[in-house]
Amino acid sequence: MTKVIDIVNKVAMVDSNVLIQGESGVGKGMIAKQIHKLSGRHNGPFITIDCGAIPETLIESELFGYEGGAFTGAKKEGKKGLIELGNGGTVFFDEIGELPINLQVKLLRVIQEKRLMRIGGNRSLDINIRVLAATNRDLAELIKLRKFREDLYYRLNVVPILVPPLHNRIEEIKMLTNYFTSKINERYGFHKQFSPETINILEKYHWPGNVRELENLVERLLVITDANEILPKHLPEFLFQTASASAKKVTVWDICSLKEATDEVEKQLLRKVQEKCKNTYQMAEVLKVNQSTIVRKLHKYGLLKNNYT
């Protein structure tokens, strides 16, 4: 995520098209908003278009607008489309993989020419927008299936941002839980918090719904729990089942070299043990190795803290 944020900070300074990829719920929309907020267009509109939520019969008129009398039921004065409403700002196409193939050609023309024609219109309008897009689908596979245009893909994918799933960002769970807790406490006037033991259980869960699932769970627990401290006993049963099932397992999420896999497991294990031990001697005892081995490996992964002996 540090790399993702670094890319966000850099790309916000320019007008390049950005394609944000990642599982549902990882925070693609938040990243798009952050790019807009940091950009020179931050005083302009930020228009979100959910390509999967608009009915196919309406999506063309919603995106591109229409002139008066363009079709039965159209307003006499016509209507601006969402793309036109984003003029001077940023247009974020969420779930771009759901956009019908016939409209992809029209969108490509808008991106390339910076001009738009409403339905029923006979003149093009100049459009000054910055385009961001996001998807949880494999666009390369959709291209093979001829469900997504290759030329549009390359036009959108000028700067790719891949957001990792929450189960690959274990170290963020405590921070995110505290952030959501603070936000919900402020909203409802609560003074609640999660115990360290509860956070530890949350860190062992797989989070298939990613950050969105975590936020929803935090709100649910704060709302229904009478106590001011959320303890393990307040958690739903499925969290314990997952934590128990995975407690002694190492799960591989992607293909990599054996050395990379070994290094990653060592690094994660050292970080987790380091959080629970006061010094390297205790760590050596827990991991059943020499203390000098612990020191050497902490140095290797940049985990050795000051005054941690």
Side-chain angles (χ1 to χ4, degrees):
M1 285 303 294
T2 302
K3 293 178 181 177
V4 168
I5 293 168
D6 184 47
I7 296 173
V8 166
N9 290 333
K10 290 177 180 177
V11 80
M13 299 298 105
V14 296
D15 257 0
S16 302
N17 298 335
V18 179
L19 180 61
I20 308 166
Q21 300 175 80
E23 294 179 5
S24 180
V26 293
K28 299 187 291 296
M30 293 298 296
I31 286 175
K33 288 178 183 176
Q34 184 69 2
I35 291 173
H36 173 73
K37 182 180 177 182
L38 295 174
S39 75
R41 296 174 175 268
H42 64 275
N43 289 325
F46 178 82
I47 304 295
T48 297
I49 300 174
D50 190 339
C51 300
I54 305 173
E56 192 166 342
T57 53
L58 300 177
I59 192 166
E60 184 175 10
S61 62
E62 287 293 313
L63 264 62
F64 301 98
Y66 57 83
E67 298 291 354
F71 50 83
T72 304
K75 294 180 180 179
K76 291 182 180 180
E77 66 276 17
K79 178 185 175 183
K80 289 184 178 181
L82 292 170
I83 296 175
E84 191 176 343
L85 289 174
N87 208 13
T90 303
V91 179
F92 172 48
F93 293 88
D94 198 9
E95 301 305 339
I96 189 68
E98 305 299 328
L99 188 67
I101 193 78
N102 62 306
L103 295 185
Q104 293 176 24
V105 182
K106 200 166 180 177
L107 176 59
L108 178 62
R109 191 174 302 120
V110 171
I111 295 173
Q112 289 181 159
E113 300 175 5
K114 302 296 182 184
R115 296 181 68 81
L116 174 148
M117 185 179 291
R118 295 180 184 175
I119 297 173
N122 54 17
R123 63 187 179 91
S124 294
L125 306 172
D126 290 329
I127 296 294
N128 174 22
I129 60 171
R130 200 268 177 85
V131 175
L132 307 177
T135 182
N136 62 4
R137 302 189 66 181
D138 184 347
L139 294 187
E141 185 62 28
L142 292 182
I143 290 170
K144 291 179 183 177
L145 297 172
R146 298 190 176 184
K147 293 184 178 180
F148 201 84
R149 291 184 62 94
E150 189 173 13
D151 48 6
L152 177 59
Y153 170 73
Y154 287 118
R155 185 61 72 172
L156 294 171
N157 196 35
V158 176
V159 180
I161 295 180
L162 180 61
V163 187
L166 187 56
H167 60 68
N168 284 355
R169 298 151 52 188
I170 301 300
E171 65 276 7
E172 294 182 35
I173 289 177
K174 179 178 179 180
M175 176 190 69
L176 287 169
T177 301
N178 291 336
Y179 169 73
F180 293 137
T181 299
S182 175
K183 190 169 73 168
I184 294 163
N185 277 340
E186 184 177 351
R187 185 191 306 165
Y188 297 124
F190 295 157
H191 301 280
K192 300 182 180 183
Q193 62 181 2
F194 282 71
S195 73
E197 295 79 14
T198 306
I199 296 288
N200 187 47
I201 293 171
L202 296 182
E203 290 176 337
K204 294 177 181 177
Y205 180 56
H206 182 61
W207 298 108
N210 292 293
V211 179
R212 187 182 297 124
E213 183 183 8
L214 175 60
E215 182 177 12
N216 291 343
L217 179 69
V218 170
E219 180 169 359
R220 168 179 153 194
L221 289 168
L222 293 180
V223 168
I224 68 174
T225 304
D226 293 327
N228 280 336
E229 185 175 41
I230 311 300
L231 300 172
K233 67 180 181 180
H234 298 129
L235 296 176
E237 184 63 30
F238 70 86
L239 285 170
F240 292 96
Q241 293 171 350
T242 305
S244 175
S246 62
K248 295 186 178 180
K249 293 181 180 178
V250 175
T251 303
V252 178
W253 301 110
D254 203 353
I255 297 173
C256 61
S257 70
L258 189 58
K259 184 180 184 307
E260 287 175 326
T262 303
D263 286 349
E264 183 61 28
V265 170
E266 278 192 348
K267 186 176 180 179
Q268 290 187 30
L269 184 58
L270 286 166
R271 187 187 290 121
K272 189 168 288 290
V273 175
Q274 190 178 40
E275 291 173 357
K276 301 180 181 298
C277 295
K278 295 180 179 179
N279 52 53
T280 55
Y281 293 95
Q282 287 186 3
M283 290 182 66
E285 186 176 346
V286 170
L287 294 174
K288 303 188 187 309
V289 295
N290 295 328
Q291 186 262 354
S292 59
T293 301
I294 295 295
V295 173
R296 176 169 52 80
K297 289 188 178 294
L298 289 176
H299 269 299
K300 175 182 177 181
Y301 299 116
L303 299 176
L304 193 60
K305 302 176 182 178
N306 292 334
N307 303 319
Y308 193 85
T309 59

